[in-house]
Amino acid sequence: MSSLQPVRGTVDLLPEDARKHRTIEALFARLVERYGFGEIATPIFEFTEVFSRTLGETSDIVTKEMYTFTSGDESLTLRPEGTAGVARAFITHGLHHALPLKVSYRGPMFRHERPQKGRLRQFHQVGVELLGVDSPLADAEVITLAAHFLDELGVTDTVTLELNSLGDAESRAAYRAALVDHLAGRGNGLSDDSRRRLAGNPLRILDSKDEGDRAIVATAPLLTDFLNAPSRAFLDRLCTLLAAAGLSPVLNPRLVRGLDYYCHTAFEFTTTALGAQGTVLAGGRYDGLIQQMGGPATPGIGWAAGVERLALLHEDRTALPRPVVLVPLGEAAESAGFALAQDLRKAGLHVEMGYAGTLSRRLKRAHKMNACAAVIVGENELAQGKAVVRDLDDGTQTDISFFDLAGQMIRLYRDKQ
RNA sequence: GUGGCUGUAGCUCAGUUGGUUAGAGCAUUGGUUUGUGGUACCAAGGGUCGUCGGUUCAAAUCCGAUCAGCCACCCCA
């Protein structure tokens, strides 16, 4: 109730965490550029139909997890994921003239779910979309990029790549019928949740965590066996390409995606280190999406990764910068010291100000921020036009004239920062 | 939306069968050092015990509600 705490499921990213997020996003941005993806930034809210029409009217996200509000007579929704907005932008700007299109995005997403480990109501994703290529080459490239990204983050040892094919529409319809048939005879043994899923989204029963469900599903027909020849060939080709890149995915015939727009390739990078929220990066192919939204038939494939989940796995080893601390003693020295600090910063050094207190106090604070040097300017120094530069690692002090200060400091301390 | 566990200082946590002024460590601030950091020692500040209500002579402690957090289901990044 207290308005002094953040809304449930939202968090303040204090500098330490914000820094970690930025490290992850910066790495993503750098890497994605190397693969030829340009950034796209779509609004964080859209007309509600953008999501309800693309994600599937029966998906959980649409039925119960969207933050929807009315403004004037328009129904608007905070984006629960990134692909729908990208697809909308693709159509509004006629980007089918620019195929193949490779874009990346990052930013906050919103889902009204009960928060738990690795799950927030406002969370952040980075993701990519590759539109206009129906060859498995696109799938392979996008998955390889994902693996590369996780590798550079140093989390690959805790993560495994799972792969499945949902087949094309024909294969999926045939399988769905066979699955429902199999389950219908055993309906009474299914959990309440799964009996509900039987009507709307039977494939979801495949990855149920209920033990009774698992037993029933264990004997169910496999999606893989219902793939028609083209779908089968597509999957085989993808596996060959991934192998060529040194990737050996675990084929998981029970891997299902929640959103209706997926077909053929579905993949997840999962971990056991995050409790129940094992999916760290996931995606798939969505060949029918653009057309379904009213655009020209355009194949597409993409993935998204949860920044918070990556942050939980990623150990930030990048060293914090070591500042030089400028310590002016007295009002006159303050003016001179303030100006010197600016000179040093313009020269490219990371400079902190030792604002107030005794010299002892300020050096203590400088030590705590892991400073590499203190530049002390008091009455004596002012009179002589020299600053006392104290090296905080070895305690040595040298006088350096104000005139030379920036140049000398760069020479002495740039490497220590 | 459902279930389990938990809310005491900025952080991590003690607090006996209900009983005076609710404690510790870390952190912060000050001092030993009025121009010299790390170590050490001394001291100080900081709490309507999540909130509201109830039981009681007396509640951090027992009860109820509520809010929040964590974990799980569901779902997903």
PDB file of all heavy atoms in Angstrom, chain B residues 21-33:
ATOM      1  P     U B  21       9.793   0.862  29.485  1.00  0.00           P
ATOM      2  OP1   U B  21       9.349   2.065  30.181  1.00  0.00           O
ATOM      3  OP2   U B  21       8.913   0.186  28.491  1.00  0.00           O
ATOM      4  O5'   U B  21      11.187   1.155  28.787  1.00  0.00           O
ATOM      5  C5'   U B  21      11.256   2.212  27.831  1.00  0.00           C
ATOM      6  C4'   U B  21      12.671   2.378  27.349  1.00  0.00           C
ATOM      7  O4'   U B  21      13.509   2.789  28.467  1.00  0.00           O
ATOM      8  C3'   U B  21      13.293   1.103  26.770  1.00  0.00           C
ATOM      9  O3'   U B  21      13.788   1.359  25.472  1.00  0.00           O
ATOM     10  C2'   U B  21      14.453   0.768  27.724  1.00  0.00           C
ATOM     11  O2'   U B  21      15.615   0.331  27.042  1.00  0.00           O
ATOM     12  C1'   U B  21      14.743   2.136  28.368  1.00  0.00           C
ATOM     13  N1    U B  21      15.329   1.993  29.723  1.00  0.00           N
ATOM     14  C2    U B  21      16.652   2.359  29.888  1.00  0.00           C
ATOM     15  O2    U B  21      17.321   2.798  28.980  1.00  0.00           O
ATOM     16  N3    U B  21      17.132   2.179  31.162  1.00  0.00           N
ATOM     17  C4    U B  21      16.453   1.682  32.248  1.00  0.00           C
ATOM     18  O4    U B  21      17.021   1.578  33.325  1.00  0.00           O
ATOM     19  C5    U B  21      15.098   1.321  31.985  1.00  0.00           C
ATOM     20  C6    U B  21      14.590   1.481  30.763  1.00  0.00           C
ATOM     21  P     A B  22      13.324   0.458  24.263  1.00  0.00           P
ATOM     22  OP1   A B  22      13.364   1.320  23.066  1.00  0.00           O
ATOM     23  OP2   A B  22      12.056  -0.225  24.616  1.00  0.00           O
ATOM     24  O5'   A B  22      14.450  -0.651  24.092  1.00  0.00           O
ATOM     25  C5'   A B  22      14.371  -1.889  24.775  1.00  0.00           C
ATOM     26  C4'   A B  22      14.866  -2.997  23.891  1.00  0.00           C
ATOM     27  O4'   A B  22      13.864  -3.283  22.883  1.00  0.00           O
ATOM     28  C3'   A B  22      16.120  -2.633  23.084  1.00  0.00           C
ATOM     29  O3'   A B  22      17.263  -2.993  23.837  1.00  0.00           O
ATOM     30  C2'   A B  22      15.979  -3.495  21.833  1.00  0.00           C
ATOM     31  O2'   A B  22      16.530  -4.789  22.032  1.00  0.00           O
ATOM     32  C1'   A B  22      14.471  -3.616  21.664  1.00  0.00           C
ATOM     33  N9    A B  22      13.918  -2.745  20.634  1.00  0.00           N
ATOM     34  C8    A B  22      13.420  -1.482  20.772  1.00  0.00           C
ATOM     35  N7    A B  22      12.949  -0.969  19.661  1.00  0.00           N
ATOM     36  C5    A B  22      13.155  -1.967  18.730  1.00  0.00           C
ATOM     37  C6    A B  22      12.878  -2.053  17.359  1.00  0.00           C
ATOM     38  N6    A B  22      12.292  -1.083  16.663  1.00  0.00           N
ATOM     39  N1    A B  22      13.212  -3.190  16.722  1.00  0.00           N
ATOM     40  C2    A B  22      13.798  -4.172  17.416  1.00  0.00           C
ATOM     41  N3    A B  22      14.094  -4.215  18.703  1.00  0.00           N
ATOM     42  C4    A B  22      13.745  -3.071  19.308  1.00  0.00           C
ATOM     43  P     G B  23      18.368  -1.893  24.134  1.00  0.00           P
ATOM     44  OP1   G B  23      18.261  -1.656  25.567  1.00  0.00           O
ATOM     45  OP2   G B  23      18.281  -0.746  23.205  1.00  0.00           O
ATOM     46  O5'   G B  23      19.746  -2.651  23.903  1.00  0.00           O
ATOM     47  C5'   G B  23      20.333  -2.620  22.620  1.00  0.00           C
ATOM     48  C4'   G B  23      20.884  -3.975  22.316  1.00  0.00           C
ATOM     49  O4'   G B  23      19.821  -4.823  21.820  1.00  0.00           O
ATOM     50  C3'   G B  23      21.944  -3.989  21.226  1.00  0.00           C
ATOM     51  O3'   G B  23      23.229  -3.674  21.747  1.00  0.00           O
ATOM     52  C2'   G B  23      21.839  -5.405  20.704  1.00  0.00           C
ATOM     53  O2'   G B  23      22.479  -6.314  21.565  1.00  0.00           O
ATOM     54  C1'   G B  23      20.313  -5.638  20.771  1.00  0.00           C
ATOM     55  N9    G B  23      19.635  -5.260  19.515  1.00  0.00           N
ATOM     56  C8    G B  23      18.826  -4.175  19.313  1.00  0.00           C
ATOM     57  N7    G B  23      18.354  -4.118  18.088  1.00  0.00           N
ATOM     58  C5    G B  23      18.893  -5.228  17.467  1.00  0.00           C
ATOM     59  C6    G B  23      18.747  -5.692  16.136  1.00  0.00           C
ATOM     60  O6    G B  23      18.087  -5.207  15.213  1.00  0.00           O
ATOM     61  N1    G B  23      19.478  -6.858  15.923  1.00  0.00           N
ATOM     62  C2    G B  23      20.239  -7.484  16.861  1.00  0.00           C
ATOM     63  N2    G B  23      20.867  -8.578  16.467  1.00  0.00           N
ATOM     64  N3    G B  23      20.384  -7.063  18.096  1.00  0.00           N
ATOM     65  C4    G B  23      19.689  -5.944  18.327  1.00  0.00           C
ATOM     66  P     A B  24      24.295  -2.949  20.815  1.00  0.00           P
ATOM     67  OP1   A B  24      25.404  -2.471  21.682  1.00  0.00           O
ATOM     68  OP2   A B  24      23.591  -2.023  19.911  1.00  0.00           O
ATOM     69  O5'   A B  24      24.833  -4.177  19.949  1.00  0.00           O
ATOM     70  C5'   A B  24      25.503  -5.254  20.593  1.00  0.00           C
ATOM     71  C4'   A B  24      25.833  -6.327  19.585  1.00  0.00           C
ATOM     72  O4'   A B  24      24.616  -6.867  19.028  1.00  0.00           O
ATOM     73  C3'   A B  24      26.623  -5.852  18.370  1.00  0.00           C
ATOM     74  O3'   A B  24      28.011  -5.753  18.653  1.00  0.00           O
ATOM     75  C2'   A B  24      26.312  -6.960  17.366  1.00  0.00           C
ATOM     76  O2'   A B  24      27.071  -8.128  17.637  1.00  0.00           O
ATOM     77  C1'   A B  24      24.838  -7.246  17.675  1.00  0.00           C
ATOM     78  N9    A B  24      23.915  -6.493  16.818  1.00  0.00           N
ATOM     79  C8    A B  24      23.220  -5.353  17.130  1.00  0.00           C
ATOM     80  N7    A B  24      22.450  -4.915  16.158  1.00  0.00           N
ATOM     81  C5    A B  24      22.652  -5.835  15.135  1.00  0.00           C
ATOM     82  C6    A B  24      22.109  -5.933  13.834  1.00  0.00           C
ATOM     83  N6    A B  24      21.243  -5.079  13.321  1.00  0.00           N
ATOM     84  N1    A B  24      22.531  -6.967  13.063  1.00  0.00           N
ATOM     85  C2    A B  24      23.415  -7.837  13.569  1.00  0.00           C
ATOM     86  N3    A B  24      23.984  -7.854  14.790  1.00  0.00           N
ATOM     87  C4    A B  24      23.552  -6.808  15.525  1.00  0.00           C
ATOM     88  P     G B  25      28.920  -4.713  17.856  1.00  0.00           P
ATOM     89  OP1   G B  25      30.240  -4.682  18.516  1.00  0.00           O
ATOM     90  OP2   G B  25      28.158  -3.459  17.656  1.00  0.00           O
ATOM     91  O5'   G B  25      29.080  -5.418  16.439  1.00  0.00           O
ATOM     92  C5'   G B  25      29.849  -6.612  16.301  1.00  0.00           C
ATOM     93  C4'   G B  25      29.697  -7.148  14.891  1.00  0.00           C
ATOM     94  O4'   G B  25      28.310  -7.499  14.658  1.00  0.00           O
ATOM     95  C3'   G B  25      30.018  -6.147  13.790  1.00  0.00           C
ATOM     96  O3'   G B  25      31.403  -6.065  13.521  1.00  0.00           O
ATOM     97  C2'   G B  25      29.231  -6.724  12.613  1.00  0.00           C
ATOM     98  O2'   G B  25      29.903  -7.828  12.039  1.00  0.00           O
ATOM     99  C1'   G B  25      27.959  -7.214  13.310  1.00  0.00           C
ATOM    100  N9    G B  25      26.913  -6.188  13.295  1.00  0.00           N
ATOM    101  C8    G B  25      26.576  -5.317  14.307  1.00  0.00           C
ATOM    102  N7    G B  25      25.596  -4.506  13.984  1.00  0.00           N
ATOM    103  C5    G B  25      25.272  -4.865  12.678  1.00  0.00           C
ATOM    104  C6    G B  25      24.291  -4.339  11.804  1.00  0.00           C
ATOM    105  O6    G B  25      23.483  -3.422  12.015  1.00  0.00           O
ATOM    106  N1    G B  25      24.314  -4.986  10.571  1.00  0.00           N
ATOM    107  C2    G B  25      25.165  -6.006  10.236  1.00  0.00           C
ATOM    108  N2    G B  25      25.030  -6.498   9.004  1.00  0.00           N
ATOM    109  N3    G B  25      26.070  -6.506  11.043  1.00  0.00           N
ATOM    110  C4    G B  25      26.077  -5.899  12.241  1.00  0.00           C
ATOM    111  P     C B  26      32.038  -4.676  13.051  1.00  0.00           P
ATOM    112  OP1   C B  26      33.507  -4.869  12.940  1.00  0.00           O
ATOM    113  OP2   C B  26      31.498  -3.597  13.920  1.00  0.00           O
ATOM    114  O5'   C B  26      31.435  -4.478  11.588  1.00  0.00           O
ATOM    115  C5'   C B  26      31.841  -5.321  10.509  1.00  0.00           C
ATOM    116  C4'   C B  26      30.972  -5.082   9.293  1.00  0.00           C
ATOM    117  O4'   C B  26      29.588  -5.353   9.631  1.00  0.00           O
ATOM    118  C3'   C B  26      30.944  -3.652   8.767  1.00  0.00           C
ATOM    119  O3'   C B  26      32.077  -3.339   7.967  1.00  0.00           O
ATOM    120  C2'   C B  26      29.651  -3.664   7.963  1.00  0.00           C
ATOM    121  O2'   C B  26      29.817  -4.319   6.722  1.00  0.00           O
ATOM    122  C1'   C B  26      28.746  -4.505   8.859  1.00  0.00           C
ATOM    123  N1    C B  26      27.957  -3.638   9.762  1.00  0.00           N
ATOM    124  C2    C B  26      26.822  -3.010   9.224  1.00  0.00           C
ATOM    125  O2    C B  26      26.518  -3.216   8.037  1.00  0.00           O
ATOM    126  N3    C B  26      26.080  -2.194  10.013  1.00  0.00           N
ATOM    127  C4    C B  26      26.437  -2.008  11.286  1.00  0.00           C
ATOM    128  N4    C B  26      25.677  -1.194  12.021  1.00  0.00           N
ATOM    129  C5    C B  26      27.587  -2.623  11.851  1.00  0.00           C
ATOM    130  C6    C B  26      28.311  -3.429  11.062  1.00  0.00           C
ATOM    131  P     A B  27      32.643  -1.832   7.991  1.00  0.00           P
ATOM    132  OP1   A B  27      33.754  -1.770   7.015  1.00  0.00           O
ATOM    133  OP2   A B  27      32.874  -1.420   9.388  1.00  0.00           O
ATOM    134  O5'   A B  27      31.415  -0.986   7.425  1.00  0.00           O
ATOM    135  C5'   A B  27      31.093  -1.027   6.039  1.00  0.00           C
ATOM    136  C4'   A B  27      29.849  -0.194   5.772  1.00  0.00           C
ATOM    137  O4'   A B  27      28.748  -0.697   6.574  1.00  0.00           O
ATOM    138  C3'   A B  27      29.955   1.273   6.165  1.00  0.00           C
ATOM    139  O3'   A B  27      30.606   2.048   5.172  1.00  0.00           O
ATOM    140  C2'   A B  27      28.480   1.645   6.324  1.00  0.00           C
ATOM    141  O2'   A B  27      27.856   1.826   5.074  1.00  0.00           O
ATOM    142  C1'   A B  27      27.927   0.389   6.998  1.00  0.00           C
ATOM    143  N9    A B  27      28.006   0.500   8.451  1.00  0.00           N
ATOM    144  C8    A B  27      28.906  -0.092   9.304  1.00  0.00           C
ATOM    145  N7    A B  27      28.714   0.209  10.565  1.00  0.00           N
ATOM    146  C5    A B  27      27.622   1.054  10.552  1.00  0.00           C
ATOM    147  C6    A B  27      26.918   1.719  11.571  1.00  0.00           C
ATOM    148  N6    A B  27      27.239   1.632  12.864  1.00  0.00           N
ATOM    149  N1    A B  27      25.876   2.500  11.209  1.00  0.00           N
ATOM    150  C2    A B  27      25.565   2.591   9.915  1.00  0.00           C
ATOM    151  N3    A B  27      26.141   2.011   8.858  1.00  0.00           N
ATOM    152  C4    A B  27      27.170   1.244   9.250  1.00  0.00           C
ATOM    153  P     U B  28      31.469   3.290   5.626  1.00  0.00           P
ATOM    154  OP1   U B  28      32.057   3.858   4.390  1.00  0.00           O
ATOM    155  OP2   U B  28      32.353   2.892   6.747  1.00  0.00           O
ATOM    156  O5'   U B  28      30.379   4.295   6.191  1.00  0.00           O
ATOM    157  C5'   U B  28      29.387   4.849   5.337  1.00  0.00           C
ATOM    158  C4'   U B  28      28.477   5.760   6.126  1.00  0.00           C
ATOM    159  O4'   U B  28      27.794   4.977   7.151  1.00  0.00           O
ATOM    160  C3'   U B  28      29.177   6.852   6.912  1.00  0.00           C
ATOM    161  O3'   U B  28      29.465   7.974   6.085  1.00  0.00           O
ATOM    162  C2'   U B  28      28.162   7.181   7.993  1.00  0.00           C
ATOM    163  O2'   U B  28      27.108   7.968   7.480  1.00  0.00           O
ATOM    164  C1'   U B  28      27.597   5.782   8.303  1.00  0.00           C
ATOM    165  N1    U B  28      28.274   5.144   9.445  1.00  0.00           N
ATOM    166  C2    U B  28      27.937   5.572  10.730  1.00  0.00           C
ATOM    167  O2    U B  28      27.142   6.464  10.939  1.00  0.00           O
ATOM    168  N3    U B  28      28.591   4.922  11.746  1.00  0.00           N
ATOM    169  C4    U B  28      29.509   3.903  11.626  1.00  0.00           C
ATOM    170  O4    U B  28      30.004   3.418  12.639  1.00  0.00           O
ATOM    171  C5    U B  28      29.805   3.526  10.269  1.00  0.00           C
ATOM    172  C6    U B  28      29.189   4.141   9.261  1.00  0.00           C
ATOM    173  P     U B  29      30.839   8.727   6.277  1.00  0.00           P
ATOM    174  OP1   U B  29      30.948   9.680   5.155  1.00  0.00           O
ATOM    175  OP2   U B  29      31.920   7.751   6.525  1.00  0.00           O
ATOM    176  O5'   U B  29      30.579   9.534   7.621  1.00  0.00           O
ATOM    177  C5'   U B  29      29.586  10.551   7.668  1.00  0.00           C
ATOM    178  C4'   U B  29      29.423  11.051   9.074  1.00  0.00           C
ATOM    179  O4'   U B  29      28.888   9.971   9.899  1.00  0.00           O
ATOM    180  C3'   U B  29      30.716  11.426   9.795  1.00  0.00           C
ATOM    181  O3'   U B  29      31.169  12.724   9.436  1.00  0.00           O
ATOM    182  C2'   U B  29      30.292  11.328  11.256  1.00  0.00           C
ATOM    183  O2'   U B  29      29.503  12.436  11.633  1.00  0.00           O
ATOM    184  C1'   U B  29      29.402  10.089  11.217  1.00  0.00           C
ATOM    185  N1    U B  29      30.162   8.857  11.545  1.00  0.00           N
ATOM    186  C2    U B  29      30.372   8.578  12.885  1.00  0.00           C
ATOM    187  O2    U B  29      29.973   9.302  13.778  1.00  0.00           O
ATOM    188  N3    U B  29      31.067   7.429  13.136  1.00  0.00           N
ATOM    189  C4    U B  29      31.568   6.539  12.204  1.00  0.00           C
ATOM    190  O4    U B  29      32.175   5.535  12.579  1.00  0.00           O
ATOM    191  C5    U B  29      31.320   6.904  10.839  1.00  0.00           C
ATOM    192  C6    U B  29      30.637   8.029  10.559  1.00  0.00           C
ATOM    193  P     G B  30      32.709  13.011   9.443  1.00  0.00           P
ATOM    194  OP1   G B  30      32.879  14.370   8.882  1.00  0.00           O
ATOM    195  OP2   G B  30      33.440  11.872   8.859  1.00  0.00           O
ATOM    196  O5'   G B  30      33.047  13.050  11.001  1.00  0.00           O
ATOM    197  C5'   G B  30      32.588  14.134  11.801  1.00  0.00           C
ATOM    198  C4'   G B  30      32.845  13.861  13.248  1.00  0.00           C
ATOM    199  O4'   G B  30      32.213  12.612  13.631  1.00  0.00           O
ATOM    200  C3'   G B  30      34.289  13.632  13.656  1.00  0.00           C
ATOM    201  O3'   G B  30      35.028  14.836  13.734  1.00  0.00           O
ATOM    202  C2'   G B  30      34.111  12.970  15.010  1.00  0.00           C
ATOM    203  O2'   G B  30      33.721  13.900  15.995  1.00  0.00           O
ATOM    204  C1'   G B  30      32.934  12.043  14.721  1.00  0.00           C
ATOM    205  N9    G B  30      33.402  10.702  14.347  1.00  0.00           N
ATOM    206  C8    G B  30      33.439  10.123  13.106  1.00  0.00           C
ATOM    207  N7    G B  30      33.930   8.901  13.125  1.00  0.00           N
ATOM    208  C5    G B  30      34.236   8.671  14.461  1.00  0.00           C
ATOM    209  C6    G B  30      34.806   7.538  15.091  1.00  0.00           C
ATOM    210  O6    G B  30      35.151   6.457  14.592  1.00  0.00           O
ATOM    211  N1    G B  30      34.954   7.740  16.464  1.00  0.00           N
ATOM    212  C2    G B  30      34.612   8.887  17.133  1.00  0.00           C
ATOM    213  N2    G B  30      34.846   8.898  18.450  1.00  0.00           N
ATOM    214  N3    G B  30      34.077   9.949  16.557  1.00  0.00           N
ATOM    215  C4    G B  30      33.921   9.773  15.227  1.00  0.00           C
ATOM    216  P     G B  31      36.577  14.831  13.541  1.00  0.00           P
ATOM    217  OP1   G B  31      37.025  16.236  13.599  1.00  0.00           O
ATOM    218  OP2   G B  31      36.893  14.000  12.367  1.00  0.00           O
ATOM    219  O5'   G B  31      37.108  14.060  14.840  1.00  0.00           O
ATOM    220  C5'   G B  31      37.021  14.667  16.117  1.00  0.00           C
ATOM    221  C4'   G B  31      37.436  13.708  17.196  1.00  0.00           C
ATOM    222  O4'   G B  31      36.697  12.478  17.066  1.00  0.00           O
ATOM    223  C3'   G B  31      38.886  13.241  17.154  1.00  0.00           C
ATOM    224  O3'   G B  31      39.760  14.215  17.688  1.00  0.00           O
ATOM    225  C2'   G B  31      38.821  11.975  18.015  1.00  0.00           C
ATOM    226  O2'   G B  31      38.776  12.293  19.387  1.00  0.00           O
ATOM    227  C1'   G B  31      37.473  11.402  17.592  1.00  0.00           C
ATOM    228  N9    G B  31      37.616  10.359  16.563  1.00  0.00           N
ATOM    229  C8    G B  31      37.299  10.445  15.228  1.00  0.00           C
ATOM    230  N7    G B  31      37.544   9.328  14.581  1.00  0.00           N
ATOM    231  C5    G B  31      38.049   8.463  15.556  1.00  0.00           C
ATOM    232  C6    G B  31      38.487   7.112  15.463  1.00  0.00           C
ATOM    233  O6    G B  31      38.521   6.380  14.465  1.00  0.00           O
ATOM    234  N1    G B  31      38.927   6.624  16.689  1.00  0.00           N
ATOM    235  C2    G B  31      38.942   7.346  17.854  1.00  0.00           C
ATOM    236  N2    G B  31      39.404   6.702  18.939  1.00  0.00           N
ATOM    237  N3    G B  31      38.527   8.591  17.956  1.00  0.00           N
ATOM    238  C4    G B  31      38.100   9.088  16.782  1.00  0.00           C
ATOM    239  P     U B  32      41.257  14.353  17.176  1.00  0.00           P
ATOM    240  OP1   U B  32      41.846  15.549  17.807  1.00  0.00           O
ATOM    241  OP2   U B  32      41.234  14.203  15.719  1.00  0.00           O
ATOM    242  O5'   U B  32      41.938  13.055  17.805  1.00  0.00           O
ATOM    243  C5'   U B  32      42.132  12.961  19.216  1.00  0.00           C
ATOM    244  C4'   U B  32      42.765  11.641  19.557  1.00  0.00           C
ATOM    245  O4'   U B  32      41.886  10.556  19.173  1.00  0.00           O
ATOM    246  C3'   U B  32      44.067  11.329  18.830  1.00  0.00           C
ATOM    247  O3'   U B  32      45.161  11.965  19.477  1.00  0.00           O
ATOM    248  C2'   U B  32      44.130   9.812  18.958  1.00  0.00           C
ATOM    249  O2'   U B  32      44.606   9.416  20.229  1.00  0.00           O
ATOM    250  C1'   U B  32      42.651   9.419  18.841  1.00  0.00           C
ATOM    251  N1    U B  32      42.298   8.977  17.480  1.00  0.00           N
ATOM    252  C2    U B  32      42.478   7.639  17.159  1.00  0.00           C
ATOM    253  O2    U B  32      42.929   6.842  17.951  1.00  0.00           O
ATOM    254  N3    U B  32      42.128   7.287  15.877  1.00  0.00           N
ATOM    255  C4    U B  32      41.607   8.118  14.911  1.00  0.00           C
ATOM    256  O4    U B  32      41.343   7.654  13.805  1.00  0.00           O
ATOM    257  C5    U B  32      41.448   9.491  15.320  1.00  0.00           C
ATOM    258  C6    U B  32      41.787   9.865  16.560  1.00  0.00           C
ATOM    259  P     U B  33      46.503  12.328  18.697  1.00  0.00           P
ATOM    260  OP1   U B  33      46.672  11.219  17.747  1.00  0.00           O
ATOM    261  OP2   U B  33      47.437  12.567  19.808  1.00  0.00           O
ATOM    262  O5'   U B  33      46.498  13.692  17.913  1.00  0.00           O
ATOM    263  C5'   U B  33      45.453  14.133  17.102  1.00  0.00           C
ATOM    264  C4'   U B  33      45.890  14.190  15.641  1.00  0.00           C
ATOM    265  O4'   U B  33      46.330  12.889  15.204  1.00  0.00           O
ATOM    266  C3'   U B  33      44.747  14.610  14.732  1.00  0.00           C
ATOM    267  O3'   U B  33      45.209  15.540  13.780  1.00  0.00           O
ATOM    268  C2'   U B  33      44.331  13.309  14.065  1.00  0.00           C
ATOM    269  O2'   U B  33      43.829  13.496  12.795  1.00  0.00           O
ATOM    270  C1'   U B  33      45.652  12.523  14.030  1.00  0.00           C
ATOM    271  N1    U B  33      45.443  11.077  14.022  1.00  0.00           N
ATOM    272  C2    U B  33      44.973  10.501  12.856  1.00  0.00           C
ATOM    273  O2    U B  33      44.689  11.138  11.865  1.00  0.00           O
ATOM    274  N3    U B  33      44.819   9.145  12.901  1.00  0.00           N
ATOM    275  C4    U B  33      45.107   8.318  13.964  1.00  0.00           C
ATOM    276  O4    U B  33      44.924   7.121  13.855  1.00  0.00           O
ATOM    277  C5    U B  33      45.589   8.999  15.132  1.00  0.00           C
ATOM    278  C6    U B  33      45.742  10.321  15.122  1.00  0.00           C
TER     279        U B  33
END
